[in-house]
Each structure stands twice: as structure tokens, then as C-alpha cells.
Amino acid sequence: CGRCPAREFCTALRQDRVGELPVKAPKAGRRVEERTVFLLFCRGRVALRRREDRGLLAGLWEYPNERSPAPCPVEVRTLEDGPAGKHIFTHIEWHMTSLAGEVSDPALPEGWVWAGREELQSRYAVPNAFRPFTAYVQARIT
């Protein structure tokens, strides 16, 4: 305190509370988001979409997902429960469930693609946040 430039007006020094002040604000907790991941397949390939150019995981490819609950974004023959997972970012925690199904029509919304095994390895890097779904997807694609 003797060399501190703020000692002339320091409340902690004046009140003999140097070890107590200033009080740090508690660290903000992570926001938890419940998400539904859609593992959509057609002819041995899985559907991917590109994320927005801004924000979390900007511009990367992902399995389509939405905040839960959410309807499937494309028409499917049937949907079944798939694997679940969790991913922790610095400020957000995703709790993910998945629904898997075969797509009736191979036409996809704009910004989506079909990817086979080779394309997932060489062209479309899916972020680690979706790692809980890797084995399930690999078992269903060619």
C-alpha cells in the first residue's frame, strides 16, 4: 500500500480493510442450452449445414440442430432417438439429445450438403462439440 498511487483516496486503507476490499463480483455462470441434433441420412450420407459467419463456431459445418424442443427441419420417414451428449464452451453449455432418421427426399435446404465418410474426413470438418455423435454417424454412412 505504501507505493500504491491510489493510497490517498483508498477506501480499503482508510477503513483498515485492505484484505477485504475491493469485493470482486461473482463470476457469471454458464448459460445452459438444451439442443436437439438431427442426424439425417440419405443413401449412406449424412446431412450437414454450414453455421452462420458470425457467432459461436462461425462458418463451420455441423449436424443440423436447434434449441429444444424443435421440429425436424426436413421431411423424414421416421425419427428415432439417437445418442445424447454435452459440450462445454467458456460461456455456454450445450445439453444435446439427438433424433435420427432417413430422409424421404434428398433435396436439402440452402446451405446444407450430403456428406459420406470420405467427405467428413477430408472436406467437412465437424467441430468437437458434435463428437458424441461421431460413432453413430460413422456406423450409418458409407
Side-chain angles (χ1 to χ4, degrees):
C1 289
R3 295 187 342 200
C4 180
R7 74 169 202 245
E8 298 289 327
F9 53 88
C10 178
T11 302
L13 186 61
R14 229 181 12 255
Q15 295 177 0
D16 196 28
R17 297 177 62 198
V18 173
E20 301 169 33
L21 296 175
V23 177
K24 290 184 178 180
K27 190 174 179 179
R30 261 185 227 105
R31 182 177 81 237
V32 174
E33 287 184 7
E34 301 291 332
R35 302 198 70 83
T36 302
V37 177
F38 296 97
L39 303 173
L40 306 170
F41 302 94
C42 184
R43 300 178 186 151
R45 297 177 298 162
V46 65
L48 299 175
R49 72 174 178 196
R50 189 167 216 152
R51 291 185 65 84
E52 301 269 333
D53 288 336
R54 301 173 78 174
L56 191 64
L57 304 175
L60 297 178
W61 292 93
E62 66 180 355
Y63 304 118
N65 66 91
E66 303 293 339
R67 287 192 182 196
S68 299
C72 187
V74 297
E75 189 176 324
V76 293
R77 291 184 191 130
T78 60
L79 274 178
E80 61 185 43
D81 290 335
K86 178 169 86 169
H87 189 77
I88 299 173
F89 299 95
T90 55
H91 61 296
I92 299 173
E93 186 171 320
W94 282 358
H95 293 188
M96 300 174 284
T97 57
S98 68
L99 294 172
E102 285 288 325
V103 174
S104 307
D105 180 0
L108 289 172
E110 186 177 335
W112 292 35
V113 297
W114 290 113
R117 186 179 313 277
E118 184 178 320
E119 293 152 318
L120 277 176
Q121 292 173 351
S122 63
R123 187 169 183 188
Y124 303 111
V126 176
N128 286 338
F130 298 97
R131 185 174 286 158
F133 311 104
T134 301
Y136 185 87
V137 168
Q138 290 293 327
R140 295 197 52 182
I141 62 174
T142 56

